[in-house]
Amino acid sequence: MTSPSLPAAGPARRTVMAAAGAAGLAAALTACGSGDDSSGTADTGSATGGSAQDGAGGTALARTADIPEGGGKIFKDQGVVVTQPSAGTYKAFSSKCTHQGCAVGSVANGVIVCPCHNSEFSVTDGSVKKGPATQPLPAAKITVSGDEITLA
């Protein structure tokens, strides 16, 4: 008497489904938790002349001339917003609003604005200027070398 053989594809499908579930969970946690844990975020890049000690090449974002003084520019693909609060000083923050995870939509007149519920954040330090958000935008690490701004 022979026993029926089972297809061998079961574990591969299970592995694929587990990986897809883990990736979805990681994405959801990143979007929802970005404002809750500032301890995992490095300090913001410094003004021109600041040290780029790690020498590792990051993602080139922009030229310093691309970032308006008192304003900034949003880099959707990298999930950051880079600002120039005063001449020659560049800062970077997560572009995800800490209220409900929407992507911020504009930077002007010293504030970063989320279009979902009109929360406003300071271009200087990411602090909340107007709610409903209650947590600041987490800082992101950038380096400025010459006229190039790089995401570290």
Side-chain angles (χ1 to χ4, degrees), residues 46-111:
S46 60
T48 50
S51 62
Q53 295 171 326
D54 59 73
T59 303
L61 291 175
R63 300 267 181 223
T64 54
D66 297 336
I67 311 300
E69 186 176 343
K73 186 172 179 182
I74 300 164
F75 298 90
K76 282 186 182 181
D77 291 344
Q78 293 79 15
V80 298
V81 56
V82 176
T83 65
Q84 184 180 188
S86 59
T89 301
Y90 299 91
K91 304 285 184 170
F93 308 97
S94 168
S95 63
K96 297 294 177 198
C97 179
T98 57
H99 176 237
Q100 288 189 341
C102 293
V104 297
S106 62
V107 185
N109 303 317
V111 293

Side-chain angles (χ1 to χ4, degrees), residues 1-5:
M1 302 196 179
T2 57
S3 61
S5 59

Side-chain angles (χ1 to χ4, degrees), residues 56-62 141-145 148-152:
T59 303
L61 291 175
K141 177 88 173 151
I142 57 170
T143 56
V144 179
S145 179
E148 184 171 273
I149 301 171
T150 305
L151 185 60

